[in-house]
C-alpha cells in the first residue's frame, strides 16, 4: 500500500515521502525498508533513531530520524488498525464439513463455516457468519449470536448463552462445572450440582486454556467488551464487568464481582464474595481479600495501596540492617541505663 493511502486510511498526518510502498507492519527493531512500525511508548524513543522502517507511527513529530512519520492521536490503536490492513487470518470455506456432526434440531445461521469433527448438540442456536474450527464442541441447548469464532478444542457447555462477535481461542471452556462440594460427616465430599449457566455478552474475547465456570444456581456472567487472557480461572457465580482486562494466570474465586473497566494484571488472586469497583487497577501477583473501592490502585499480598506498597517494598531489603541497628541501639541504651543506675547508687 502506498504510504499516502495508508495515512489517509488511518486518518494520520504524513510527514515525509508519500510515494513509499508499504508491504507490512513490524516492531521497531524488526521492521525493514518497506514496513511501517510504531512508537507508542515514549521510553523507546531512542530506538526510533536506529529503526530501519520506512515509516513510523508517532504521537508527536520526532527530529533527526530517517523514516517518514505518521502523526497519530493514538499510535498503538493505529498500529493495530494497520495490522488489519496487511493481515487477516484465513477463514475456512463456508458450509458444514461432511465430517462434522450437527444435531437435527440445531439451527445454524447463514454463511457459517463448520469444520471437521465439530459437534453441535440438540436445540443449539448459532447466528450468522459463525466460524467453528475443527474439534469445537457445542453442548445441547446453547445459544450463540452472530459472528462467533471458536478455535479448535473450545467448548460451550449446555444451555450457556454467548453474544455477538465473541471469540474463543483454543481450549477455552465456557460453562464447565463450578468447583462446589459439601463435606459429609464421614469426611468425604458430596458434589453440588452446578445447575446454573454461564453468559458471555457481546464483543468478548477469551484467550487459550481459560475456564469460565457455570454457576451452582443462577449465572456466571462476562459482560460486554471484556478481554480475558490465557490461563485464567473465573469461578462460579462471578461477574466480570464491561471492558475489563484480566491478564494471564489470574484466578477469581466464586461470587467475585468486578465492575466496569477493572484491570487485573498477571497472577492476581481474588478470594471471592467481594466487589472490585469501577476503574480499579490491581498490580501483578497481588492477593485481594476484600472489597476494592473505585479507582484504587492496589499491590501486594495481601494487597494495599500501590504507592504505600512501593515504599514498603523499598524498605523491605533494608530490614536486616535496620534490625541489627535496632539491637545495637537497645544494647547501648541498656548499658547507659545500667551506668546511670550505678552512678546514682554511688
Amino acid at each position: 500500500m502506498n504510504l499516502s493511502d495508508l495515512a489517509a486510511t488511518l486518518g494520520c498526518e504524513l510527514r515525509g515521502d508519500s510515494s513509499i510502498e508499504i508491504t507490512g507492519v513490524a516492531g521497531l527493531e524488526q521492521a525493514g525498508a518497506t514496513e511501517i512500525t510504531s512508537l507508542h511508548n515514549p521510553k523507546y524513543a531512542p530506538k526510533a533513531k536506529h529503526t530501519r522502517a520506512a515509516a513510523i507511527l508517532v504521537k508527536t513529530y520526532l527530529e533527526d530520524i530517517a523514516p517518514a512519520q505518521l502523526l497519530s492521536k493514538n499510535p498503538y490503536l493505529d498500529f493495530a488498525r494497520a495490522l488489519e490492513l496487511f493481515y487477516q487470518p484465513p477463514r475456512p470455506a463456508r458450509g458444514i464439513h461432511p465430517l462434522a456432526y450437527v444435531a437435527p434440531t440445531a439451527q445454524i445461521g447463514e454463511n457459517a463455516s463448520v469444520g471437521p469433527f465439530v459437534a453441535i448438540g440438540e436445540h443449539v442456536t448459532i447466528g450468522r457468519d459463525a466460524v467453528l474450527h475443527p474439534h469445537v464442541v457445542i453442548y445441547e441447548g446453547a445459544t450463540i449470536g452472530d459472528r462467533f469464532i471458536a478455535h479448535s478444542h473450545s467448548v460451550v457447555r449446555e444451555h450457556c448463552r454467548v453474544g455477538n462477535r465473541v471469540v474463543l481461542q483454543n481450549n477455552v471452556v465456557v460453562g464447565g462445572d463450578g468447583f462446589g462440594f459439601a463435606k459429609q460427616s464421614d469426611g468425604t465430599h458430596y458434589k453440588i450440582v452446578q445447575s446454573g449457566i454461564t453468559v458471555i455478552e457481546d464483543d468478548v474475547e477469551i484467550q487459550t486454556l481459560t475456564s469460565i465456570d457455570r454457576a451452582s444456581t443462577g449465572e456466571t456472567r462476562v459482560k460486554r467488551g471484556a478481554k480475558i487472557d490465557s490461563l485464567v480461572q473465573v469461578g462460579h457465580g462471578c461477574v466480570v464487568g464491561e471492558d475489563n482486562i484480566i491478564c494471564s494466570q489470574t484466578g477469581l474465586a466464586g461470587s467475585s464481582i468486578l465492575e466496569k473497566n477493572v484491570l487485573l494484571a498477571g497472577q492476581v488472586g481474588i478470594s471471592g464474595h467481594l466487589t472490585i469497583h469501577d476503574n480499579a487497577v490491581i498490580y501483578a501477583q497481588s492477593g485481594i481479600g476484600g472489597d476494592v473501592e473505585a479507582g484504587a490502585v492496589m499491590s501486594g499480598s495481601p494487597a494495599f495501596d500501590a504507592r504505600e506498597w512501593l515504599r514498603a517494598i523499598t524498605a523491605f531489603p533494608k530490614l536486616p540492617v535496620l534490625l541489627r541497628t535496632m539491637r545495637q541501639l537497645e544494647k547501648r541504651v541498656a548499658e547507659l541505663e545500667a551506668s546511670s543506675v550505678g552512678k546514682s547508687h554511688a
Side-chain angles (χ1 to χ4, degrees):
M1 180 180 286
N2 184 279
L3 185 57
S4 60
D5 293 336
L6 178 59
T9 301
L10 297 177
C12 296
E13 179 186 347
L14 173 60
R15 301 277 189 92
D17 186 354
S18 63
S19 65
I20 300 172
E21 291 294 324
I22 302 297
T23 62
V25 182
L28 266 175
E29 295 176 286
Q30 295 80 31
T34 62
E35 294 176 310
I36 187 170
T37 189
S38 173
L39 177 65
H40 41 265
N41 189 331
K43 74 178 184 180
Y44 299 123
K47 293 185 178 181
K49 295 182 179 181
H50 306 290
T51 185
R52 294 179 291 110
I56 183 169
L57 285 156
V58 294
K59 194 164 188 176
T60 56
Y61 183 75
L62 300 176
E63 301 288 347
D64 302 324
I65 66 168
Q69 299 181 49
L70 273 65
L71 305 187
S72 165
K73 292 179 181 178
N74 189 336
Y76 196 44
L77 175 61
D78 285 331
F79 181 78
R81 294 171 62 209
L83 273 171
E84 289 182 342
L85 295 172
F86 288 95
Y87 176 77
Q88 286 290 327
R91 178 191 170 102
R94 290 189 177 92
I96 298 172
H97 194 281
L99 293 178
Y101 172 75
V102 179
T105 56
Q107 300 179 31
I108 301 177
E110 57 189 26
N111 298 323
S113 299
V114 179
F117 309 110
V118 168
I120 298 176
E122 300 286 352
H123 308 293
V124 167
T125 301
I126 301 176
R128 56 182 294 131
D129 300 312
V131 177
L132 280 66
H133 289 275
H135 297 284
V136 168
V137 178
I138 311 296
Y139 279 41
E140 178 178 345
T143 302
I144 298 171
D146 296 339
R147 294 172 62 185
F148 174 62
I149 299 176
H151 289 274
S152 296
H153 301 287
S154 56
V155 176
V156 178
R157 287 278 299 269
E158 65 274 14
H159 308 300
C160 291
R161 303 201 303 269
V162 177
N164 300 312
R165 300 173 300 279
V166 170
V167 178
L168 305 182
Q169 300 290 346
N170 303 83
N171 295 285
V172 168
V173 179
V174 171
D177 277 8
F179 193 65
F181 298 88
K183 196 165 188 176
Q184 303 185 99
S185 58
D186 62 357
T188 60
H189 301 283
Y190 187 86
K191 182 176 177 63
I192 301 170
V193 172
Q194 304 297 294
S195 64
I197 62 171
T198 294
V199 179
I200 309 294
E201 295 186 1
D202 295 348
D203 300 304
V204 169
E205 179 157 353
I206 304 173
Q207 301 288 316
T208 59
L209 295 163
T210 285
S211 297
I212 316 293
D213 289 350
R214 69 194 306 112
S216 51
T217 59
E219 64 180 35
T220 302
R221 182 175 288 264
V222 178
K223 293 189 175 182
R224 180 207 52 77
K227 313 300 180 189
I228 303 179
D229 198 1
S230 302
L231 297 166
V232 170
Q233 166 72 33
V234 177
H236 54 185
C238 288
V239 177
V240 175
E242 289 95 335
D243 297 311
N244 278 199
I245 294 288
I246 302 181
C247 297
S248 181
Q249 299 183 3
T250 290
L252 277 64
S255 302
S256 302
I257 297 175
L258 277 56
E259 295 187 342
K260 293 181 180 179
N261 293 304
V262 170
L263 189 155
L264 305 181
Q267 297 185 333
V268 168
I270 309 295
S271 66
H273 296 276
L274 55 79
T275 299
I276 300 178
H277 292 279
D278 293 353
N279 303 304
V281 175
I282 313 298
Y283 283 3
Q285 296 189 325
S286 295
I288 303 297
D291 290 356
V292 176
E293 65 183 24
V297 181
M298 306 282 283
S299 191
S301 186
F304 53 98
D305 181 86
R307 291 166 296 184
E308 294 295 325
W309 176 84
L310 285 170
R311 284 193 281 268
I313 202 67
T314 301
F316 185 77
K318 301 174 184 177
L319 290 180
V321 174
L322 293 172
L323 182 60
R324 186 164 60 248
T325 302
M326 186 182 72
R327 286 172 177 166
Q328 289 170 350
L329 289 171
E330 287 176 339
K331 182 179 179 181
R332 180 60 177 155
V333 168
E335 290 172 349
L336 290 171
E337 287 178 344
S339 174
S340 176
V341 169
K343 288 179 180 178
S344 63
H345 287 308

